[in-house]
Amino acid sequence: MLFHEVITDLKSWGRVFQDPALFTPLARAVFEQAGRPFPSLECCLPGSNAVFRAGDAVLKIFAPEETGIGGAEEFLAERYGLERAAALGVPAPRMLASGLLRDRDAFRWLLLERVEGFPLSCGTEKLSPEDWRGIGGQLQRAVEQLDGPCLPFRERTLREPSAEERWTPFPASFRARREACLARAGTGDVFVHGDLSGDNLLVGPDGRLVLIDFADARTAPFETELAALVCDGFRFPPDYLLGFLGTFDREELEDQLTLGLLLHDYGAWIIRDRVGAPETFATPEDLKRALMEKLPREPG
C-alpha cells in the first residue's frame, strides 16, 4: 500500500490532499511509471486535486472517485485539453506523461512541464497598464485558437436542476424573461477551457501568458466561456479587458455576455459576485445595462 489514508468523501480528501509527505510514496511510483528520477515534492497553490512541484515538473494527482470530484472525467478532460492546446500552439504546460496507479484507490495522474511565473490574480502590483493590455491581447488570441469546433465530449446538460436553483434569488420577472431568452437562443457548442480565471492564467518572467488547469474543459456554448472570463476580468485593471476585447463588436459583445451568463451553470453566482445583487435585476435587460456600465471604454 502506497497511500495509507482512507478516502471516503470530499471531506476526508480535503484533510490530506496538500500534504507532500503523505503523497511521496505514491509520487515515487508515478515517477517510476514515467521513467524519470524522483526529486521531492513541494506544495503548490491549493486547488481541488493534489498538485505538487517536483523538480522541473509538476505532478497532478486527481482526486479518487469517492470524493465526487476529479476522477476519470476530469483527468480525461484535462489530458485532452492539453493535447489540443499543444496541437493548436496555445501556450500551456507540456504534458510529459500520464497514467493510472491502482492502490487502495485508483489514482490518475499527469506529469507536466513546470512553468515559471505567477498567477494573473497575483499581478495587480507587478504589472504596468501596458503589461495588462498586452496580456489581455495574448488571452484573446489564445481563446480564438482554442475555442473552436471539436467532437462533443463531457457535455453538461444545460439548465440542470441544481444550476436552476441558483437563480431563485432573482425576481420572478427576471426568471420569466430568462426563460423566454433561453427558449429563443440558438448557439452552437465549441471546445471551452471552462475556468479561465486569474488563478489559471500564469504570467511568465518574459510576460508570456500560459493557460493551466484544463480539468473543467468540455464542449459548451462559447458565450459561457466569454461571459465568465470577462466578468472575472472586472476585478483587474481596465487595460486587461481593453486588451482582450479589442477585436469585439461592442453591441454584439453585450448580447453575448448577457446570453452567456443566462446559460452558464454558475451564471447566477457570477452575476452576484461580479456584477450586482440579484434582487436589483428585474429583467435581463437590467443585467445587460449593468454589464455595459462595467465594460471598460477606450479613453476619449
Side-chain angles (χ1 to χ4, degrees), residues 22-51:
L22 291 178
F23 280 89
T24 290
L26 197 65
R28 287 185 185 277
V30 165
F31 272 75
E32 185 177 344
Q33 277 192 2
R36 296 171 64 94
F38 177 68
S40 63
L41 298 184
E42 303 172 48
C43 288
C44 283
L45 287 174
S48 54
N49 296 298
V51 185

Side-chain angles (χ1 to χ4, degrees), residues 120-121 132 139 195-201 225-237 240-241 257 261 270 273-275 291:
L120 187 65
S121 55
W132 279 105
L139 181 59
D195 192 14
L196 285 175
S197 67
D199 293 337
N200 291 330
L201 300 170
E225 178 109 292
L226 180 66
L229 186 160
V230 169
C231 289
D232 189 66
F234 291 153
R235 62 188 173 123
F236 300 128
Y240 169 60
L241 285 182
L257 293 180
L261 290 172
I270 295 171
D273 296 341
R274 301 289 181 213
V275 187
L291 289 167

Side-chain angles (χ1 to χ4, degrees), residues 1-7 12-29 38 41-43 50 52 59 61 103 107:
M1 191 73 64
L2 298 170
F3 190 74
H4 297 283
E5 300 298 314
V6 178
I7 305 299
S12 58
W13 175 252
R15 288 195 293 264
V16 302
F17 79 109
Q18 295 180 63
D19 190 327
L22 291 178
F23 280 89
T24 290
L26 197 65
R28 287 185 185 277
F38 177 68
L41 298 184
E42 303 172 48
C43 288
F52 303 100
L59 173 62
I61 299 175
D103 197 50
F107 290 103

Side-chain angles (χ1 to χ4, degrees), residues 186-269:
T187 184
D189 287 357
V190 297
F191 177 95
V192 298
H193 175 283
D195 192 14
L196 285 175
S197 67
D199 293 337
N200 291 330
L201 300 170
L202 294 186
V203 182
D206 58 357
R208 179 172 173 261
L209 189 69
V210 179
L211 281 59
I212 65 170
D213 197 352
F214 287 74
D216 285 327
R218 66 188 68 248
T219 45
F222 172 68
E223 290 86 351
T224 61
E225 178 109 292
L226 180 66
L229 186 160
V230 169
C231 289
D232 189 66
F234 291 153
R235 62 188 173 123
F236 300 128
D239 287 284
Y240 169 60
L241 285 182
L242 286 172
F244 177 77
L245 299 174
T247 61
F248 283 83
D249 175 87
R250 192 174 180 91
E251 283 191 24
E252 184 178 337
L253 172 67
E254 291 158 0
D255 290 336
Q256 286 179 302
L257 293 180
T258 304
L259 176 60
L261 290 172
L262 298 181
L263 284 168
H264 200 290
D265 284 350
Y266 293 94
W269 289 358

